[in-house]
Amino acid sequence: MLTVNAIAAPSATEPLVRTTVERRDLGAHDILIEISYAGICHSDIHTVRGDWGPVAYPLTVGHEIVGHVTAVGAEVTRHAVGDRVGVGCMVNSCRECANCRAGQEQYCENGNTGTYAAVDRDGTVTQGGYSTHIVVDQDFVLRVPTEIPIEAAAPLLCAGITTYSPLAHWNAGPGKKVAVVGMGGLGHMAVKLAAAMGAEVTVLSQTLGKKDDGLAFGAQHYYATSDPATFEALRNGFDLIVNTVSAPIDINQYLSLLRLDGTLVSVGAPPEPLPVQVFSLFGARRSFAGSSIGGIAETQEMLDFCAERGIAAEVEVIGADQVNDAYERVLSSDVRYRFVIDINTLR
Ligand SMILES: [Zn+2]
Ligand SMILES: [Zn+2]
């Protein structure tokens, strides 16, 4: 076992504190990663606060992890010492079900193993990336191209793939009109990626406060959803709407913005149900869908796409002792656009 520095939540209600976590001995297929940066995802906050159900404490979260390989197991072939690598939202899956075999490990029929707060196949509870090191099976470790600034690569491992996967699946590209609901950590990545894929991108945000940023990230249009005229002006306007908001919204109002055969896909996860009027779907054979991160091969494809197109997340780098303040700022949408922890401040 390796004991390494980490930040952990002692309970659902206390601030995160400095502590240590145990990492398993390197198995034949394992990789030891020295972590450089870890992004702060809204899911981290929901999880440590028990919003999505009870978890075991103390808990170290973080699933936007980048660093370098410092040791490899005897049978590792995919990565070598010194490689720049990343780990996203999952660290294992059954590898045998139809979805795993199809490279869709995120939809493992037996449940993928989350990077934190999950019971791994060996019975231990996984601990995430707010930590100096992590041990992960080689099959769940990504190559992070050196063209991407390393701190700006971290959020690609969750926010990047979460938005890339539905954009790719529903064929965002030239001739397609794509709307992105919300301009936070996920939304700003959705705008950059959809624009790079060649789609005509519209941002639907509560206010026009981030309009200049949205246009700079590649959006052609930017509307405030607090203005009722927006929904009138954009009726039947989009092939695809990516909803990144994790608070309840009037989903029927947004469905009315889809043209024939359009799809509204939710990637934000509000704890409450979103009531859908079937009549909202009838009017133009519309679909309401969900999408969860992406498979490992697709995550690599996304990282390579970002490197090729010069895309990365917009980040605000913080030290280990600023994480609790950062959580409050995430909850009040006061971040442009992702906090990333400099893990050197934990050593
Ligand atoms: Zn996340
Ligand atoms: Zn599986």
Side-chain angles (χ1 to χ4, degrees), residues 301-323:
E301 176 188 301
M302 176 274 306
L303 288 166
D304 295 344
F305 178 82
C306 287
E308 200 178 289
R309 308 304 292 271
I311 295 172
E314 302 294 316
V315 300
E316 186 172 331
V317 176
I318 60 167
D321 295 323
Q322 293 169 276
V323 173

mmCIF file with all atom_site columns, all heavy atoms in Angstrom, residues 301-323:
data_model
loop_
_atom_site.group_PDB
_atom_site.id
_atom_site.type_symbol
_atom_site.label_atom_id
_atom_site.label_alt_id
_atom_site.label_comp_id
_atom_site.label_asym_id
_atom_site.label_entity_id
_atom_site.label_seq_id
_atom_site.pdbx_PDB_ins_code
_atom_site.Cartn_x
_atom_site.Cartn_y
_atom_site.Cartn_z
_atom_site.occupancy
_atom_site.B_iso_or_equiv
_atom_site.pdbx_formal_charge
_atom_site.auth_seq_id
_atom_site.auth_comp_id
_atom_site.auth_asym_id
_atom_site.auth_atom_id
_atom_site.pdbx_PDB_model_num
ATOM 1   N N   . GLU A 1 301 ? -10.563 9.753  -28.286 1.00 0.00 ? 301 GLU A N   1
ATOM 2   C CA  . GLU A 1 301 ? -10.895 10.461 -29.531 1.00 0.00 ? 301 GLU A CA  1
ATOM 3   C C   . GLU A 1 301 ? -11.141 11.948 -29.248 1.00 0.00 ? 301 GLU A C   1
ATOM 4   O O   . GLU A 1 301 ? -10.673 12.827 -29.974 1.00 0.00 ? 301 GLU A O   1
ATOM 5   C CB  . GLU A 1 301 ? -12.148 9.805  -30.133 1.00 0.00 ? 301 GLU A CB  1
ATOM 6   C CG  . GLU A 1 301 ? -12.714 10.441 -31.362 1.00 0.00 ? 301 GLU A CG  1
ATOM 7   C CD  . GLU A 1 301 ? -14.070 9.781  -31.726 1.00 0.00 ? 301 GLU A CD  1
ATOM 8   O OE1 . GLU A 1 301 ? -14.113 8.561  -31.955 1.00 0.00 ? 301 GLU A OE1 1
ATOM 9   O OE2 . GLU A 1 301 ? -15.086 10.507 -31.773 1.00 0.00 ? 301 GLU A OE2 1
ATOM 10  N N   . MET A 1 302 ? -11.857 12.239 -28.159 1.00 0.00 ? 302 MET A N   1
ATOM 11  C CA  . MET A 1 302 ? -12.151 13.626 -27.769 1.00 0.00 ? 302 MET A CA  1
ATOM 12  C C   . MET A 1 302 ? -10.852 14.366 -27.435 1.00 0.00 ? 302 MET A C   1
ATOM 13  O O   . MET A 1 302 ? -10.650 15.512 -27.867 1.00 0.00 ? 302 MET A O   1
ATOM 14  C CB  . MET A 1 302 ? -13.118 13.611 -26.569 1.00 0.00 ? 302 MET A CB  1
ATOM 15  C CG  . MET A 1 302 ? -13.472 14.950 -25.958 1.00 0.00 ? 302 MET A CG  1
ATOM 16  S SD  . MET A 1 302 ? -12.305 15.559 -24.709 1.00 0.00 ? 302 MET A SD  1
ATOM 17  C CE  . MET A 1 302 ? -12.224 14.187 -23.577 1.00 0.00 ? 302 MET A CE  1
ATOM 18  N N   . LEU A 1 303 ? -9.963  13.732 -26.673 1.00 0.00 ? 303 LEU A N   1
ATOM 19  C CA  . LEU A 1 303 ? -8.696  14.397 -26.308 1.00 0.00 ? 303 LEU A CA  1
ATOM 20  C C   . LEU A 1 303 ? -7.876  14.682 -27.571 1.00 0.00 ? 303 LEU A C   1
ATOM 21  O O   . LEU A 1 303 ? -7.289  15.774 -27.711 1.00 0.00 ? 303 LEU A O   1
ATOM 22  C CB  . LEU A 1 303 ? -7.899  13.516 -25.334 1.00 0.00 ? 303 LEU A CB  1
ATOM 23  C CG  . LEU A 1 303 ? -8.465  13.433 -23.914 1.00 0.00 ? 303 LEU A CG  1
ATOM 24  C CD1 . LEU A 1 303 ? -7.808  12.292 -23.135 1.00 0.00 ? 303 LEU A CD1 1
ATOM 25  C CD2 . LEU A 1 303 ? -8.262  14.755 -23.170 1.00 0.00 ? 303 LEU A CD2 1
ATOM 26  N N   . ASP A 1 304 ? -7.832  13.729 -28.489 1.00 0.00 ? 304 ASP A N   1
ATOM 27  C CA  . ASP A 1 304 ? -7.077  13.922 -29.728 1.00 0.00 ? 304 ASP A CA  1
ATOM 28  C C   . ASP A 1 304 ? -7.711  15.030 -30.583 1.00 0.00 ? 304 ASP A C   1
ATOM 29  O O   . ASP A 1 304 ? -7.002  15.836 -31.190 1.00 0.00 ? 304 ASP A O   1
ATOM 30  C CB  . ASP A 1 304 ? -6.993  12.606 -30.514 1.00 0.00 ? 304 ASP A CB  1
ATOM 31  C CG  . ASP A 1 304 ? -6.180  11.541 -29.766 1.00 0.00 ? 304 ASP A CG  1
ATOM 32  O OD1 . ASP A 1 304 ? -5.449  11.901 -28.813 1.00 0.00 ? 304 ASP A OD1 1
ATOM 33  O OD2 . ASP A 1 304 ? -6.294  10.351 -30.110 1.00 0.00 ? 304 ASP A OD2 1
ATOM 34  N N   . PHE A 1 305 ? -9.054  15.062 -30.601 1.00 0.00 ? 305 PHE A N   1
ATOM 35  C CA  . PHE A 1 305 ? -9.776  16.119 -31.338 1.00 0.00 ? 305 PHE A CA  1
ATOM 36  C C   . PHE A 1 305 ? -9.427  17.494 -30.752 1.00 0.00 ? 305 PHE A C   1
ATOM 37  O O   . PHE A 1 305 ? -9.145  18.453 -31.484 1.00 0.00 ? 305 PHE A O   1
ATOM 38  C CB  . PHE A 1 305 ? -11.290 15.853 -31.246 1.00 0.00 ? 305 PHE A CB  1
ATOM 39  C CG  . PHE A 1 305 ? -12.159 16.888 -31.907 1.00 0.00 ? 305 PHE A CG  1
ATOM 40  C CD1 . PHE A 1 305 ? -12.390 16.861 -33.276 1.00 0.00 ? 305 PHE A CD1 1
ATOM 41  C CD2 . PHE A 1 305 ? -12.775 17.880 -31.151 1.00 0.00 ? 305 PHE A CD2 1
ATOM 42  C CE1 . PHE A 1 305 ? -13.216 17.812 -33.878 1.00 0.00 ? 305 PHE A CE1 1
ATOM 43  C CE2 . PHE A 1 305 ? -13.603 18.837 -31.746 1.00 0.00 ? 305 PHE A CE2 1
ATOM 44  C CZ  . PHE A 1 305 ? -13.818 18.802 -33.115 1.00 0.00 ? 305 PHE A CZ  1
ATOM 45  N N   . CYS A 1 306 ? -9.432  17.593 -29.420 1.00 0.00 ? 306 CYS A N   1
ATOM 46  C CA  . CYS A 1 306 ? -9.120  18.871 -28.766 1.00 0.00 ? 306 CYS A CA  1
ATOM 47  C C   . CYS A 1 306 ? -7.688  19.316 -29.083 1.00 0.00 ? 306 CYS A C   1
ATOM 48  O O   . CYS A 1 306 ? -7.435  20.498 -29.324 1.00 0.00 ? 306 CYS A O   1
ATOM 49  C CB  . CYS A 1 306 ? -9.324  18.759 -27.252 1.00 0.00 ? 306 CYS A CB  1
ATOM 50  S SG  . CYS A 1 306 ? -11.068 18.688 -26.775 1.00 0.00 ? 306 CYS A SG  1
ATOM 51  N N   . ALA A 1 307 ? -6.758  18.353 -29.079 1.00 0.00 ? 307 ALA A N   1
ATOM 52  C CA  . ALA A 1 307 ? -5.358  18.683 -29.377 1.00 0.00 ? 307 ALA A CA  1
ATOM 53  C C   . ALA A 1 307 ? -5.232  19.216 -30.807 1.00 0.00 ? 307 ALA A C   1
ATOM 54  O O   . ALA A 1 307 ? -4.585  20.233 -31.063 1.00 0.00 ? 307 ALA A O   1
ATOM 55  C CB  . ALA A 1 307 ? -4.481  17.451 -29.190 1.00 0.00 ? 307 ALA A CB  1
ATOM 56  N N   . GLU A 1 308 ? -5.914  18.517 -31.727 1.00 0.00 ? 308 GLU A N   1
ATOM 57  C CA  . GLU A 1 308 ? -5.851  18.874 -33.139 1.00 0.00 ? 308 GLU A CA  1
ATOM 58  C C   . GLU A 1 308 ? -6.480  20.236 -33.412 1.00 0.00 ? 308 GLU A C   1
ATOM 59  O O   . GLU A 1 308 ? -5.995  21.017 -34.232 1.00 0.00 ? 308 GLU A O   1
ATOM 60  C CB  . GLU A 1 308 ? -6.649  17.801 -33.883 1.00 0.00 ? 308 GLU A CB  1
ATOM 61  C CG  . GLU A 1 308 ? -6.393  17.644 -35.338 1.00 0.00 ? 308 GLU A CG  1
ATOM 62  C CD  . GLU A 1 308 ? -7.259  16.480 -35.832 1.00 0.00 ? 308 GLU A CD  1
ATOM 63  O OE1 . GLU A 1 308 ? -6.959  15.316 -35.480 1.00 0.00 ? 308 GLU A OE1 1
ATOM 64  O OE2 . GLU A 1 308 ? -8.256  16.762 -36.507 1.00 0.00 ? 308 GLU A OE2 1
ATOM 65  N N   . ARG A 1 309 ? -7.582  20.546 -32.709 1.00 0.00 ? 309 ARG A N   1
ATOM 66  C CA  . ARG A 1 309 ? -8.321  21.771 -32.972 1.00 0.00 ? 309 ARG A CA  1
ATOM 67  C C   . ARG A 1 309 ? -7.970  22.910 -32.017 1.00 0.00 ? 309 ARG A C   1
ATOM 68  O O   . ARG A 1 309 ? -8.586  23.967 -32.057 1.00 0.00 ? 309 ARG A O   1
ATOM 69  C CB  . ARG A 1 309 ? -9.831  21.494 -32.894 1.00 0.00 ? 309 ARG A CB  1
ATOM 70  C CG  . ARG A 1 309 ? -10.285 20.333 -33.753 1.00 0.00 ? 309 ARG A CG  1
ATOM 71  C CD  . ARG A 1 309 ? -9.904  20.515 -35.231 1.00 0.00 ? 309 ARG A CD  1
ATOM 72  N NE  . ARG A 1 309 ? -10.643 21.610 -35.824 1.00 0.00 ? 309 ARG A NE  1
ATOM 73  C CZ  . ARG A 1 309 ? -11.831 21.486 -36.407 1.00 0.00 ? 309 ARG A CZ  1
ATOM 74  N NH1 . ARG A 1 309 ? -12.385 20.303 -36.513 1.00 0.00 ? 309 ARG A NH1 1
ATOM 75  N NH2 . ARG A 1 309 ? -12.450 22.529 -36.908 1.00 0.00 ? 309 ARG A NH2 1
ATOM 76  N N   . GLY A 1 310 ? -6.992  22.692 -31.133 1.00 0.00 ? 310 GLY A N   1
ATOM 77  C CA  . GLY A 1 310 ? -6.582  23.743 -30.197 1.00 0.00 ? 310 GLY A CA  1
ATOM 78  C C   . GLY A 1 310 ? -7.637  24.093 -29.172 1.00 0.00 ? 310 GLY A C   1
ATOM 79  O O   . GLY A 1 310 ? -7.799  25.260 -28.789 1.00 0.00 ? 310 GLY A O   1
ATOM 80  N N   . ILE A 1 311 ? -8.385  23.085 -28.715 1.00 0.00 ? 311 ILE A N   1
ATOM 81  C CA  . ILE A 1 311 ? -9.456  23.314 -27.743 1.00 0.00 ? 311 ILE A CA  1
ATOM 82  C C   . ILE A 1 311 ? -9.021  22.846 -26.360 1.00 0.00 ? 311 ILE A C   1
ATOM 83  O O   . ILE A 1 311 ? -8.409  21.792 -26.214 1.00 0.00 ? 311 ILE A O   1
ATOM 84  C CB  . ILE A 1 311 ? -10.727 22.545 -28.173 1.00 0.00 ? 311 ILE A CB  1
ATOM 85  C CG1 . ILE A 1 311 ? -11.265 23.102 -29.487 1.00 0.00 ? 311 ILE A CG1 1
ATOM 86  C CG2 . ILE A 1 311 ? -11.790 22.604 -27.078 1.00 0.00 ? 311 ILE A CG2 1
ATOM 87  C CD1 . ILE A 1 311 ? -12.386 22.277 -30.055 1.00 0.00 ? 311 ILE A CD1 1
ATOM 88  N N   . ALA A 1 312 ? -9.365  23.655 -25.356 1.00 0.00 ? 312 ALA A N   1
ATOM 89  C CA  . ALA A 1 312 ? -9.136  23.246 -23.966 1.00 0.00 ? 312 ALA A CA  1
ATOM 90  C C   . ALA A 1 312 ? -10.167 23.957 -23.110 1.00 0.00 ? 312 ALA A C   1
ATOM 91  O O   . ALA A 1 312 ? -10.896 24.835 -23.587 1.00 0.00 ? 312 ALA A O   1
ATOM 92  C CB  . ALA A 1 312 ? -7.724  23.621 -23.530 1.00 0.00 ? 312 ALA A CB  1
ATOM 93  N N   . ALA A 1 313 ? -10.236 23.576 -21.848 1.00 0.00 ? 313 ALA A N   1
ATOM 94  C CA  . ALA A 1 313 ? -11.170 24.231 -20.928 1.00 0.00 ? 313 ALA A CA  1
ATOM 95  C C   . ALA A 1 313 ? -10.608 25.581 -20.495 1.00 0.00 ? 313 ALA A C   1
ATOM 96  O O   . ALA A 1 313 ? -9.397  25.803 -20.519 1.00 0.00 ? 313 ALA A O   1
ATOM 97  C CB  . ALA A 1 313 ? -11.403 23.340 -19.719 1.00 0.00 ? 313 ALA A CB  1
ATOM 98  N N   . GLU A 1 314 ? -11.511 26.481 -20.096 1.00 0.00 ? 314 GLU A N   1
ATOM 99  C CA  . GLU A 1 314 ? -11.102 27.737 -19.465 1.00 0.00 ? 314 GLU A CA  1
ATOM 100 C C   . GLU A 1 314 ? -11.027 27.449 -17.969 1.00 0.00 ? 314 GLU A C   1
ATOM 101 O O   . GLU A 1 314 ? -12.024 27.014 -17.380 1.00 0.00 ? 314 GLU A O   1
ATOM 102 C CB  . GLU A 1 314 ? -12.146 28.825 -19.717 1.00 0.00 ? 314 GLU A CB  1
ATOM 103 C CG  . GLU A 1 314 ? -12.420 29.101 -21.180 1.00 0.00 ? 314 GLU A CG  1
ATOM 104 C CD  . GLU A 1 314 ? -11.212 29.699 -21.892 1.00 0.00 ? 314 GLU A CD  1
ATOM 105 O OE1 . GLU A 1 314 ? -10.566 30.600 -21.318 1.00 0.00 ? 314 GLU A OE1 1
ATOM 106 O OE2 . GLU A 1 314 ? -10.918 29.256 -23.018 1.00 0.00 ? 314 GLU A OE2 1
ATOM 107 N N   . VAL A 1 315 ? -9.876  27.668 -17.364 1.00 0.00 ? 315 VAL A N   1
ATOM 108 C CA  . VAL A 1 315 ? -9.722  27.238 -15.971 1.00 0.00 ? 315 VAL A CA  1
ATOM 109 C C   . VAL A 1 315 ? -9.236  28.359 -15.061 1.00 0.00 ? 315 VAL A C   1
ATOM 110 O O   . VAL A 1 315 ? -8.594  29.314 -15.508 1.00 0.00 ? 315 VAL A O   1
ATOM 111 C CB  . VAL A 1 315 ? -8.747  26.042 -15.847 1.00 0.00 ? 315 VAL A CB  1
ATOM 112 C CG1 . VAL A 1 315 ? -9.261  24.849 -16.638 1.00 0.00 ? 315 VAL A CG1 1
ATOM 113 C CG2 . VAL A 1 315 ? -7.338  26.414 -16.289 1.00 0.00 ? 315 VAL A CG2 1
ATOM 114 N N   . GLU A 1 316 ? -9.564  28.215 -13.795 1.00 0.00 ? 316 GLU A N   1
ATOM 115 C CA  . GLU A 1 316 ? -9.030  29.056 -12.733 1.00 0.00 ? 316 GLU A CA  1
ATOM 116 C C   . GLU A 1 316 ? -8.292  28.110 -11.786 1.00 0.00 ? 316 GLU A C   1
ATOM 117 O O   . GLU A 1 316 ? -8.905  27.248 -11.166 1.00 0.00 ? 316 GLU A O   1
ATOM 118 C CB  . GLU A 1 316 ? -10.181 29.772 -12.012 1.00 0.00 ? 316 GLU A CB  1
ATOM 119 C CG  . GLU A 1 316 ? -9.708  30.774 -10.997 1.00 0.00 ? 316 GLU A CG  1
ATOM 120 C CD  . GLU A 1 316 ? -10.847 31.631 -10.423 1.00 0.00 ? 316 GLU A CD  1
ATOM 121 O OE1 . GLU A 1 316 ? -11.862 31.863 -11.114 1.00 0.00 ? 316 GLU A OE1 1
ATOM 122 O OE2 . GLU A 1 316 ? -10.710 32.058 -9.266  1.00 0.00 ? 316 GLU A OE2 1
ATOM 123 N N   . VAL A 1 317 ? -6.952  28.238 -11.750 1.00 0.00 ? 317 VAL A N   1
ATOM 124 C CA  . VAL A 1 317 ? -6.144  27.323 -10.939 1.00 0.00 ? 317 VAL A CA  1
ATOM 125 C C   . VAL A 1 317 ? -6.134  27.792 -9.486  1.00 0.00 ? 317 VAL A C   1
ATOM 126 O O   . VAL A 1 317 ? -5.929  28.979 -9.211  1.00 0.00 ? 317 VAL A O   1
ATOM 127 C CB  . VAL A 1 317 ? -4.706  27.228 -11.493 1.00 0.00 ? 317 VAL A CB  1
ATOM 128 C CG1 . VAL A 1 317 ? -3.840  26.345 -10.601 1.00 0.00 ? 317 VAL A CG1 1
ATOM 129 C CG2 . VAL A 1 317 ? -4.724  26.674 -12.923 1.00 0.00 ? 317 VAL A CG2 1
ATOM 130 N N   . ILE A 1 318 ? -6.374  26.866 -8.569  1.00 0.00 ? 318 ILE A N   1
ATOM 131 C CA  . ILE A 1 318 ? -6.387  27.193 -7.134  1.00 0.00 ? 318 ILE A CA  1
ATOM 132 C C   . ILE A 1 318 ? -5.475  26.241 -6.377  1.00 0.00 ? 318 ILE A C   1
ATOM 133 O O   . ILE A 1 318 ? -5.093  25.184 -6.890  1.00 0.00 ? 318 ILE A O   1
ATOM 134 C CB  . ILE A 1 318 ? -7.813  27.105 -6.537  1.00 0.00 ? 318 ILE A CB  1
ATOM 135 C CG1 . ILE A 1 318 ? -8.382  25.692 -6.701  1.00 0.00 ? 318 ILE A CG1 1
ATOM 136 C CG2 . ILE A 1 318 ? -8.726  28.142 -7.170  1.00 0.00 ? 318 ILE A CG2 1
ATOM 137 C CD1 . ILE A 1 318 ? -9.628  25.442 -5.877  1.00 0.00 ? 318 ILE A CD1 1
ATOM 138 N N   . GLY A 1 319 ? -5.141  26.615 -5.131  1.00 0.00 ? 319 GLY A N   1
ATOM 139 C CA  . GLY A 1 319 ? -4.353  25.758 -4.257  1.00 0.00 ? 319 GLY A CA  1
ATOM 140 C C   . GLY A 1 319 ? -5.268  24.854 -3.439  1.00 0.00 ? 319 GLY A C   1
ATOM 141 O O   . GLY A 1 319 ? -6.486  25.059 -3.368  1.00 0.00 ? 319 GLY A O   1
ATOM 142 N N   . ALA A 1 320 ? -4.665  23.876 -2.792  1.00 0.00 ? 320 ALA A N   1
ATOM 143 C CA  . ALA A 1 320 ? -5.421  22.882 -2.029  1.00 0.00 ? 320 ALA A CA  1
ATOM 144 C C   . ALA A 1 320 ? -6.270  23.519 -0.929  1.00 0.00 ? 320 ALA A C   1
ATOM 145 O O   . ALA A 1 320 ? -7.334  23.005 -0.583  1.00 0.00 ? 320 ALA A O   1
ATOM 146 C CB  . ALA A 1 320 ? -4.458  21.868 -1.431  1.00 0.00 ? 320 ALA A CB  1
ATOM 147 N N   . ASP A 1 321 ? -5.793  24.628 -0.377  1.00 0.00 ? 321 ASP A N   1
ATOM 148 C CA  . ASP A 1 321 ? -6.535  25.229 0.732   1.00 0.00 ? 321 ASP A CA  1
ATOM 149 C C   . ASP A 1 321 ? -7.685  26.128 0.289   1.00 0.00 ? 321 ASP A C   1
ATOM 150 O O   . ASP A 1 321 ? -8.391  26.699 1.113   1.00 0.00 ? 321 ASP A O   1
ATOM 151 C CB  . ASP A 1 321 ? -5.566  26.011 1.632   1.00 0.00 ? 321 ASP A CB  1
ATOM 152 C CG  . ASP A 1 321 ? -4.569  25.063 2.293   1.00 0.00 ? 321 ASP A CG  1
ATOM 153 O OD1 . ASP A 1 321 ? -4.979  23.937 2.650   1.00 0.00 ? 321 ASP A OD1 1
ATOM 154 O OD2 . ASP A 1 321 ? -3.386  25.438 2.422   1.00 0.00 ? 321 ASP A OD2 1
ATOM 155 N N   . GLN A 1 322 ? -7.879  26.242 -1.016  1.00 0.00 ? 322 GLN A N   1
ATOM 156 C CA  . GLN A 1 322 ? -8.973  27.080 -1.526  1.00 0.00 ? 322 GLN A CA  1
ATOM 157 C C   . GLN A 1 322 ? -10.174 26.269 -1.986  1.00 0.00 ? 322 GLN A C   1
ATOM 158 O O   . GLN A 1 322 ? -11.138 26.827 -2.520  1.00 0.00 ? 322 GLN A O   1
ATOM 159 C CB  . GLN A 1 322 ? -8.458  27.929 -2.700  1.00 0.00 ? 322 GLN A CB  1
ATOM 160 C CG  . GLN A 1 322 ? -7.427  28.973 -2.293  1.00 0.00 ? 322 GLN A CG  1
ATOM 161 C CD  . GLN A 1 322 ? -6.776  29.564 -3.530  1.00 0.00 ? 322 GLN A CD  1
ATOM 162 O OE1 . GLN A 1 322 ? -5.826  29.014 -4.086  1.00 0.00 ? 322 GLN A OE1 1
ATOM 163 N NE2 . GLN A 1 322 ? -7.314  30.673 -3.995  1.00 0.00 ? 322 GLN A NE2 1
ATOM 164 N N   . VAL A 1 323 ? -10.127 24.960 -1.783  1.00 0.00 ? 323 VAL A N   1
ATOM 165 C CA  . VAL A 1 323 ? -11.176 24.106 -2.345  1.00 0.00 ? 323 VAL A CA  1
ATOM 166 C C   . VAL A 1 323 ? -12.552 24.390 -1.728  1.00 0.00 ? 323 VAL A C   1
ATOM 167 O O   . VAL A 1 323 ? -13.558 24.444 -2.434  1.00 0.00 ? 323 VAL A O   1
ATOM 168 C CB  . VAL A 1 323 ? -10.805 22.611 -2.206  1.00 0.00 ? 323 VAL A CB  1
ATOM 169 C CG1 . VAL A 1 323 ? -11.961 21.719 -2.640  1.00 0.00 ? 323 VAL A CG1 1
ATOM 170 C CG2 . VAL A 1 323 ? -9.563  22.306 -3.053  1.00 0.00 ? 323 VAL A CG2 1
#
